[in-house]
Amino acid sequence: MKYLHILFLFLSAAPSLAAEPLVFTCERSEKNYTETYELKVSPASKHQKAKVFVDDRDLDQSDELGRQTIKNVLITESTVLISMEANFPPESFDGVQYGAGLVTTAITINRSTGQLRKAETIKGGILSATLGEGTKTYQEQCVATKP
């Protein structure tokens, strides 16, 4: 019973930990290429779901090329967790027909070190054919900035 009370206190206090958006400047490096971008995480409110932006581009997007959705955002004192999903319709490119594709992404940011870890799982579609099907993990470095 004591632990249930502590859990209730944590859950009721958790939204107040992240009332303001968190903004990070992150650096992604691959081979000889380095990119710096801004990652902004806005927690859910009573009237709006959590939002994630990369260089002011909302990652919740939907058009004829597919749909990307932020599924969940959890912000604690030590960690930011983001889960997202992207669905792509079947497509034809250079005379090759590709089936529908799905990419699920889990992002973890350690708020004290700024280390960002991303795991992407690709299933089907043109991305599976070009990048390979399965889970790939990436690591980036971020620095928290003021919103």
Side-chain angles (χ1 to χ4, degrees):
M1 190 67 163
K2 174 176 132 183
Y3 296 109
L4 184 61
H5 177 70
I6 292 170
L7 177 62
F8 175 75
L9 287 174
F10 174 74
L11 291 175
S12 63
S16 65
L17 293 175
E20 293 296 316
L22 299 176
V23 180
F24 300 91
T25 299
C26 300
E27 187 172 278
R28 169 182 17 229
S29 295
E30 189 172 333
K31 298 181 183 174
N32 293 330
Y33 176 76
T34 299
E35 176 186 23
T36 301
Y37 64 94
E38 181 184 86
L39 176 69
K40 180 178 177 183
V41 181
S42 296
S45 69
K46 290 182 181 180
H47 305 289
Q48 184 175 330
K49 69 179 251 177
K51 301 295 274 180
V52 179
F53 301 86
V54 171
D55 289 337
D56 292 323
R57 183 177 54 90
D58 188 347
L59 293 187
D60 269 320
Q61 296 186 20
S62 184
D63 61 21
E64 66 279 354
L65 301 176
R67 183 182 75 242
Q68 181 171 283
T69 307
I70 300 300
K71 299 303 244 176
N72 196 16
V73 173
L74 175 65
I75 299 172
T76 69
E77 285 185 41
S78 62
T79 309
V80 177
L81 302 170
I82 302 166
S83 65
M84 52 196 276
E85 182 177 279
N87 296 279
F88 304 97
E91 61 186 302
S92 181
F93 182 75
D94 271 350
V96 178
Q97 182 65 36
Y98 299 95
L102 170 69
V103 178
T104 54
T105 304
I107 298 170
T108 304
I109 304 170
N110 180 314
R111 292 178 68 181
S112 63
T113 66
Q115 185 179 60
L116 180 148
R117 291 182 186 246
K118 178 172 27 176
E120 291 183 328
T121 302
I122 300 171
K123 293 182 184 175
I126 194 169
L127 290 177
S128 177
T130 56
L131 299 176
E133 189 151 316
T135 301
K136 297 173 181 23
T137 58
Y138 305 92
Q139 188 170 308
E140 300 173 12
Q141 190 60 45
C142 300
V143 175
T145 59
K146 298 276 183 186

